[in-house]
Amino acid sequence: MRIQSLSEADVYEALITNADGLQDEEAARRIDEFGPNEIRGVRRKPLLFRFLSHFTHFLAVLLWIAAGLSFLSEYMHPGEGMLTLGFAIIAVILINASFTFFQEYRTERALEELKKLLPFVVTVLRSGKERGVHACEVVPGDILVLSEGDKIAADARLVWCAGLKVNHAPLTGESEPVSRNAEPCDADLLESGNIVFAGTMVMSGSGRAVVFATGMMTEFGRIAHLTSAVETGLSPLQKEIVRATRIIATVALAVGLSFFSIGFFAGRSFWDNFLFAIGITVALIPEGMLPTMTLALAMGSQRMAKRKALIKTLTSVETLGAVTVICTDKTGTLTRNEMAVKQVWYGGKIVGAHEVAKEEAEELLMAASLCNNARYVERRYRGDPTDRALLSFARGVLGEVSEDRIQEIPFDAERKRMTTVHRRRTDITGPSGRVFAYAKGAPESIVPLCTKVLFEANVLALTDEMKTRITGAAHSLMDGGLRVLAFAYRDLGISYHEGSVESDTVLAGLIGLEDPPRDEVPEAIEKCRNAGIRVIMITGDASRTAVAIAREIGLVRAEPMVIEGHAFNRMGDEELKEKLTAREVIFARMTPKHKMRVVSLLKDEGEIVAVTGDGVNDAPALKKADIGISMGTTGTDVAREASDMVLLDDNFATIVSAIEEGRTVFENIKKFLTYIFASNIPEAVPYVAYILFGIPLPLTILQILAVDLGTDMIPALALGAEKPMSDVMKRPPRRVEERLLGAPLLTRSYLFLGPIEAVACMCGFFYVLRGGGWTWGETLAPHDTLYMTATTACLTGIIVTQTGNVFACRSDRASVLDTGLFRNRLIFWGIAVELALQFFIVYHPVGNKIFGTAPLGLNVWLFLIPFAVVLVLSDEARKMIVRRRAPGQS
Amino acid sequence: MYRRIVAAVNEYTNSEVAARYALALARACRAPLTLFFVAEAGMKAEAFRRAEAALGRLFREAERQEIDVESITERGEPFAKIRDAIERNRADILFASTRREDLEKRFFQRTLAKALILNLPCSVALVRVVHMGRVSPKNILVPLRGRMVTIKEPSCFVAKLAEAFDAKITLFHLAEPIAGYFHGAAHLAALRRESGVPKDIESFAECLRRFDVTHEKKIRYGDIAREITIEAAHKRNDLIVMGASERSLVRSIMGGNPVETVLRETPCNLIVFKPWLIADRW
């Protein structure tokens, strides 16, 4: 039983209803069975639970334990500052959880926008009487009474209709109304002319239809289900953060436990060991990493907004940089969506639009003018871009034409043509009154309707030879990147009968329309090519037109793999995956419903996919893609809400700019991670020295937190705002295996930069101690001024060397001088804030009290500053060696 | 093969639609069909009349399809009467529709569906009808576990359904992703995924091949229930056939119950199938 193929009586039987509709009690019972007719999202983990999950991962659990032990320590040994430490650790957990949640958070409003497309009240037939009911009360078996302007509440099979036309835009993206009938047919449900769908609208006529699907079971519900259920999964950056966090937590725990054991066997007290274990763990965890990363992404999204790309989820900023494939629409994104007639074929010749002779091409021009839904109002053409272009062209040559339209068979994506019937008041010979049918559409749809052709002012039989010539002409126009429409007419005489209008017609000619590419697109495509990003065009145009445009903008150079919609439907997944491996792929004659499959298959193959879309039915593909990109100017609200990025100018070049920014963000994150991780070593070494050599603890835990969550953050953010390197779009996309925390980064931070800083801070510590008369083995009380001054010197050693480190971290191989010293002014602001904070910690009584510090003399600063210079120069030497070993590499 | 099929019918529309699947299976297996209605104590006359009308419509439909059909109406407690009818008729399989309580009660606890699945001496096909316009499935999604208790009967059941409706089958397996603690989930290319198809699923496919049923295999990773419903919605499947849950109550509470979730969120009609393990006919 296929609902579209049943007779009216069988429809009633299949849906257990009758021509009078359901009775109220039966309808109520069916609501109980099938549920209300409403769109609802799939169940998700509540927001609160999602937030709380950030408090329960491995690192967080580790920190909770540390905080708990600190409180226990405070309870057993009050007054040693462990209470403050416990609260500080909890603050770290809270800060990290909040920032991670903020990164991931986005409001899910696509479903709300979808709901707006459904009506609130509809008219149904119940017990033989028409009545208005709430749309949510419609059930399978109900009979919808449809009239002009009605929004349709459910999927239903028409049993009667008169001149019914509906707008299927939410389902197909086609804005032209499609006509409906009540006759049984064997087509697929979506292509059946006797079905009306929820979410669509009656444009004209009336009808009655039996509901067979409601709520989430409708086609509209299917889109809603996919939009709500499909999840992209973790972004590449989120995966890297999880991975990095696990590595850091494991290392911190392992080091903490190891040294705890060493201290235990060395005979230190439990509490000494415990203090040490907590200290080293806190030192090795970069507490400021997640806040800095979130802020850097937020700054990246602001920079993108300036380039007309509005980012909705913070991590998408980096995902853009990892994109390997862009699936893009053609019209409006690659092209301007400004149609204009460029070339015309009639009478056996192709001529330019400005060379068309009125007398020779009158029937063609009449067809272009009359079989057209655009209007010229208040000196402006209004309507669909194609119709506007045709009307403007015809009106320019023929002048104003106005004839009574007495019938219309609207454009239909499946039929690929529209036909109108007119009673002409005049024709070329004078007063007429005759009825003419005009048809326009894809050549493969129009030519088979024709038996004759207008050729050199004569009407000739349409022979096979002539068909070959016409096909050749159409191909010639398409190869010039033009969208080709064929036009035909039929003189129906004085009397005319419906049904005979689309046969035995005369082919009047072909018109080639140009939708010029956007000026910036060829350069953007070239950038993508250099950056190793594949661009796949998905268009509803014919394949020849698509290929010609693709050649014009540089998208294809060799023979591309062209896949047309009908072949696409027949192909299995494996076959399609095989075809998708081609370097240059174009999808032609496609509809938006195909997009999600393309995206899914590409993702299956490990690609990071960006896809553009503007229609309601693009929403699932936008959600499925790693980056869904919607159109800010022409897109629907549903598409905008389902996407990760909105193009404010609908321009493909903006996507490429955003990718450039995204790649830079990843590079910048690595830069500031190098910076942050380098300071972990001078934070950890004092604890190792403390436990191994029995010296006073050179750095307190709160001083570590002052670095990680205070002084380091603004310079790190400044590194996050570095401008793109000149070669950023000349490298291939980063490999999936490329780690954020890779061996080169960790080696540079932990084994090169970090140790230099450690030497600085320990030298500072001992410089003050020795200057104050301290002797080896002597213990100092926590509030001893000498001890506090020495720890302050140790902390200042880290801060001073970190100022040099900012410059070093701007590039992992380019010299400081080559990176443009003043190219990123935020660096200087970052250093200024860092030093201001340090002055507050060192010289302000409040800072002294919180962090257990004491003012330093100028001699200490002068002693420490050379270490920053040494760090920069050492890294310059390292960079020089790296450049010599691998010249030309980034 | 199924030698006698029983379809439980009641006053609800979805039981009538569910029984149409039983009709199709009876036709494909050339098996006699018993349409069985149990009127519970206190049932209203109107409900009784509706159930009788449904029985009548189904009976006539079965006769039109030249199925050997009988219609039985009894009064009493539904489960006991159905079990008696199954034992009396030596029926091989029962078709019954889900009820509202099956969706409302967590993990089907104390529902008729659970009683039927656990305690009847035959196979059970529990049908959830959500779409009245797609009762003739053309593409059926069959989610399968990597290890199945029995393969022969479920595969024959699916093959016969496909034969009855001339439908294509998609065998769908949700695999555990290959993941490391530090490296996360590894992305597997198609070939490696394909090579990871469990042996039981290959056997299932082999059985479908014997029945000459068109089918394809798919492996995905992720949340089981969510991926099943997404696949069904994306590919516009008309019917999902999945095995009954084998999870204990404790495991369901701890890790969720995919069958329950799919039952609630299915975008198309769903048959939850429980094979009768003792049968020797396979």
Side-chain angles (χ1 to χ4, degrees), chain A residues 667-690:
Chain A
E667 290 300 314
N668 289 350
I669 289 174
K670 284 171 89 171
K671 286 173 191 171
F672 72 64
L673 284 186
T674 309
Y675 175 79
I676 288 172
F677 277 75
S679 66
N680 283 172
I681 296 300
E683 288 166 0
V685 164
Y687 281 84
V688 177
Y690 162 73

Side-chain angles (χ1 to χ4, degrees), chain A residues 223-297:
Chain A
I223 293 174
H225 180 95
L226 288 172
T227 306
S228 141
V230 165
E231 282 176 340
T232 316
L234 291 181
S235 74
L237 182 64
Q238 284 169 319
K239 285 180 191 164
E240 284 300 312
I241 291 172
V242 170
R243 194 173 290 134
T245 310
R246 285 180 178 177
I247 292 172
I248 293 163
T250 308
V251 169
L253 184 66
V255 173
L257 285 176
S258 307
F259 280 90
F260 185 88
S261 308
I262 292 169
F264 181 75
F265 287 115
R268 283 185 169 270
S269 73
F270 175 84
W271 291 111
D272 277 354
N273 277 325
F274 171 68
L275 183 69
F276 166 76
I278 297 270
I280 196 109
T281 305
V282 171
L284 286 173
I285 292 171
E287 288 84 3
M289 181 179 84
L290 287 173
T292 314
M293 202 176 276
T294 309
L295 292 171
L297 291 173

Side-chain angles (χ1 to χ4, degrees), chain A residues 1 13-14 16 29 32-33 43 58 190 213 217 219 222 225 243 246 573 577 603-604 606, chain B residues 11-14 16 20 50 64 100 130-131 136 181-183 187 193 218 226 233 236 265-266:
Chain A
M1 187 276 281
E13 190 177 332
I16 315 169
R29 210 170 46 77
D32 209 36
E33 278 184 66
R43 285 188 188 192
F58 182 47
L190 278 180
M217 300 309 135
E219 274 300 309
R222 193 186 70 84
H225 180 95
R243 194 173 290 134
R246 285 180 178 177
D573 284 357
K577 275 181 192 168
K603 285 191 74 174
D604 276 358
Chain B
E11 70 274 27
Y12 289 103
T13 317
N14 56 21
E16 184 177 343
R20 288 179 184 160
R50 275 199 304 268
R64 266 204 301 277
R100 194 184 177 86
V130 294
H131 201 300
S136 261
Y181 179 73
F182 291 121
H183 294 288
H187 181 87
R193 279 202 302 273
K218 270 191 186 171
R226 187 59 40 85
R236 291 191 167 79
E265 294 182 358
T266 180

Side-chain angles (χ1 to χ4, degrees), chain A residues 574-639:
Chain A
E574 293 310 314
E575 187 185 357
L576 204 52
K577 275 181 192 168
E578 177 66 31
K579 295 204 183 291
L580 278 169
T581 56
R583 176 72 209 155
E584 294 172 341
V585 182
I586 290 176
F587 286 98
R589 292 280 187 231
M590 296 279 277
T591 58
K593 70 182 178 193
H594 296 131
K595 267 187 197 166
M596 184 165 156
R597 189 173 170 212
V598 176
V599 172
S600 302
L601 294 177
L602 286 166
K603 285 191 74 174
D604 276 358
E605 293 307 291
E607 305 281 7
I608 307 290
V609 185
V611 69
T612 65
D614 51 12
V616 171
N617 54 347
D618 283 327
L622 291 170
K623 284 289 291 286
K624 179 77 186 172
D626 294 286
I627 290 284
I629 303 167
S630 63
M631 303 299 141
T633 313
T634 57
T636 57
D637 289 339
V638 176

Side-chain angles (χ1 to χ4, degrees), chain B residues 184-200:
Chain B
H187 181 87
L188 297 184
L191 271 178
R192 278 188 68 193
R193 279 202 302 273
E194 194 63 25
S195 66
V197 174
K199 236 164 66 179
D200 281 2

Side-chain angles (χ1 to χ4, degrees), chain A residues 4-38:
Chain A
Q4 65 272 36
S5 59
L6 301 180
S7 66
E8 182 179 344
D10 287 342
V11 169
Y12 294 135
E13 190 177 332
L15 298 170
I16 315 169
T17 182
N18 58 59
D20 286 338
L22 301 171
Q23 293 178 342
D24 278 342
E25 60 181 36
E26 174 65 13
R29 210 170 46 77
R30 288 195 186 190
I31 283 198
D32 209 36
E33 278 184 66
F34 293 96
N37 177 35
E38 63 187 16

